[in-house]
Amino acid sequence: MTITPPALSVFEALESEVRSYCRSWPAVFDRAQGSRMYDEDGHTYLDFFAGAGALNYGHNNPVLKRALIDYIERDGVTHGLDMGTTAKRAFLEAFQNVVLRPRDLPYKVMFPGPTGTNAVEAALKLARKVKGREAIVSFTNAFHGMSLGSLAVTGNAFKRAGAGIPLVHGTPMPFDHYLDDQVPDFLWFERLLADQGSGLNTPAAVIVETVQGEGGINVARPEWLRGLAALCERHDMLLIVDDIQMGCGRTGAFFSFEEAGITPDIVTLSKSIGGYGLPMSLTLFRPELDVWEPGEHNGTFRGNNPSFVTAAAALDAYWTDGQMEKQTLARGEQAEEALRAICAEHPEPGARYRGRGLVWGLEFADKDRASAVSRRAFELGLLIETSGPEGEVVKLLPALTISPEELDEGLRILARAVRETA
């Protein structure tokens, strides 16, 4: 289809230059439903972005929308800080019964604020408070948020430079496969911990993503994650898993670390935990780590009750019978098959793929190619973004509720975009 970029005068004149996604997708979107978005000129787009992972259940999911409308129409509490409300109680009960108990996870639940970086900041602060140490270890190509604490454990040089001040008390270590499997896992990390002359202060915690989304869809092996958990236990460090983008079923199981059989000390959730795309985040931790004083960490919008309503509805609708995990894994196999065919059509130095569940990356040797593919895909009616330190990876993040037909349609558009930008 032919798309005429709309007049964006009010955006260009009034909105900050910091805006980004709108530059890649020059349209004014008007409505959305399921896996499709519609602009004001009537063009239709298949969404393989899903609000950067905040829309695992699609746009305006009818089940969640009904629960939200009913709550609003009966004048349910909208803003409640950390007061007890019926909406919060219903969510906590659903989370305990549907998510925590079946997995034998003992976590306490903290509402730190509405965004992912709030959850990470709370996790880092709590780890330091519990251990009485300031150092945190993160990993190459990690992304944990844009506030200063989260940014200090983020790898991307461009994002780090935006801080404007030194980012301290964070030390990066090689993520899985970073050294091309030429060095035994954690050799450098273990050596630094054991050597009194290494200059590494004993860390309070290690923070890790099981799949690095913004870092380029880098997938950690289950055995690597198990090795990391064992290393943390040996050296009295807390293990924090950042499941903000990869949790809530993105990789198949509700938590992305389940496949590895580990139980982190602290877990952060956001994005799709609210179900409907409404702001919400959680910091989960073992009960013995709950050393907070009342009000020691808070936030005005940590009691977003409409989010509690849609979150509880999502758990009830999609996580009580095990079908969502099976469906996601099946859709993942469908995506992998299509990506394998694309890479076979464009052998090295063409493309290679990697991923889990319904998060996949298509990496190009020509680092400008991913952006070209994304642009062409948009022209063809598909929304996909790029990731990786140099934007060299096309990132596929469709809704978990996408139909097999819609997924196939998007994958065919992607294949065409790759072909036409060769």
Side-chain angles (χ1 to χ4, degrees), residues 27-33 37-43 45 60:
V28 176
F29 296 100
D30 179 55
R31 60 190 182 91
Q33 210 290 313
M37 298 189 73
Y38 306 87
D39 71 18
E40 63 181 358
D41 294 326
H43 298 120
Y45 304 84
N60 287 301

Side-chain angles (χ1 to χ4, degrees), residues 124 128 133-138 148-149 152-153 160 166-172 200-205 207:
L124 300 179
R128 287 166 169 144
R133 312 175 202 137
E134 81 287 349
I136 304 288
V137 165
S138 58
L148 291 180
V153 290
R160 289 176 63 88
L167 297 170
V168 296
H169 308 306
T171 301
L200 175 66
N201 294 334
T202 303
I207 185 167

Side-chain angles (χ1 to χ4, degrees), residues 222-268:
E223 56 267 33
W224 187 87
L225 292 168
R226 287 191 290 270
L228 177 61
L231 183 149
C232 288
E233 186 173 2
R234 286 196 304 274
H235 292 277
D236 188 34
M237 302 178 296
L238 298 179
L239 177 60
I240 304 169
V241 168
D242 181 341
D243 234 5
I244 288 165
Q245 189 168 83
M246 298 304 156
C248 302
R250 177 53 57 182
T251 64
F254 187 86
F255 293 108
S256 71
F257 55 80
E258 291 182 52
E259 181 188 30
I262 62 174
T263 302
D265 298 293
I266 304 175
V267 180
T268 60

Side-chain angles (χ1 to χ4, degrees), residues 69-204:
I69 290 172
D70 289 347
Y71 184 76
I72 293 171
E73 286 186 337
R74 73 168 185 83
D75 291 330
V77 174
T78 295
H79 182 271
L81 292 160
D82 68 357
M83 293 183 287
T85 65
T86 55
K88 183 199 279 190
R89 181 175 61 200
F91 167 71
L92 285 170
E93 290 173 347
F95 193 71
Q96 183 178 46
N97 294 332
V98 176
V99 176
L100 297 181
R101 276 183 180 156
R103 294 163 179 80
D104 197 25
L105 295 172
Y107 297 135
K108 297 289 288 291
V109 179
M110 176 182 178
F111 300 100
T115 71
T117 199
N118 295 140
V120 171
E121 295 285 359
L124 300 179
K125 184 187 291 187
L126 180 61
R128 287 166 169 144
K129 181 177 173 66
V130 168
K131 291 300 182 184
R133 312 175 202 137
E134 81 287 349
I136 304 288
V137 165
S138 58
F139 291 94
T140 50
N141 291 314
F143 179 80
H144 296 291
M146 298 295 281
S147 51
L148 291 180
S150 303
L151 205 53
V153 290
T154 287
N156 186 280
F158 173 75
K159 293 180 172 65
R160 289 176 63 88
I165 63 171
L167 297 170
V168 296
H169 308 306
T171 301
M173 292 292 166
F175 192 71
D176 195 15
H177 302 302
Y178 185 76
L179 299 174
D180 298 323
D181 304 322
Q182 299 300 305
V183 177
D185 293 343
F186 312 113
L187 176 66
W188 176 238
F189 196 175
E190 291 265 27
R191 184 71 59 84
L192 292 179
L193 289 169
D195 185 357
Q196 294 298 307
S198 70
L200 175 66
N201 294 334
T202 303

Side-chain angles (χ1 to χ4, degrees), residues 357-391:
L358 268 178
V359 53
W360 291 89
L362 184 62
E363 181 179 7
F364 294 93
D366 177 356
K367 298 186 185 301
D368 295 325
R369 181 87 175 280
S371 294
V373 169
S374 178
R375 285 193 299 271
R376 182 58 182 145
F378 173 75
E379 294 168 355
L380 297 170
L382 177 68
L383 302 180
I384 50 174
E385 68 167 331
T386 61
S387 70
E390 298 179 74

Side-chain angles (χ1 to χ4, degrees), residues 20-69:
S20 60
Y21 292 116
C22 58
R23 299 179 190 274
S24 300
W25 303 323
V28 176
F29 296 100
D30 179 55
R31 60 190 182 91
Q33 210 290 313
S35 288
R36 304 216 181 246
M37 298 189 73
Y38 306 87
D39 71 18
E40 63 181 358
D41 294 326
H43 298 120
T44 302
Y45 304 84
L46 191 55
D47 186 4
F48 271 29
F49 175 62
L55 295 166
N56 281 4
Y57 312 107
H59 294 272
N60 287 301
N61 183 290
V63 175
L64 311 187
K65 180 165 64 176
R66 184 72 262 161
L68 179 60
I69 290 172

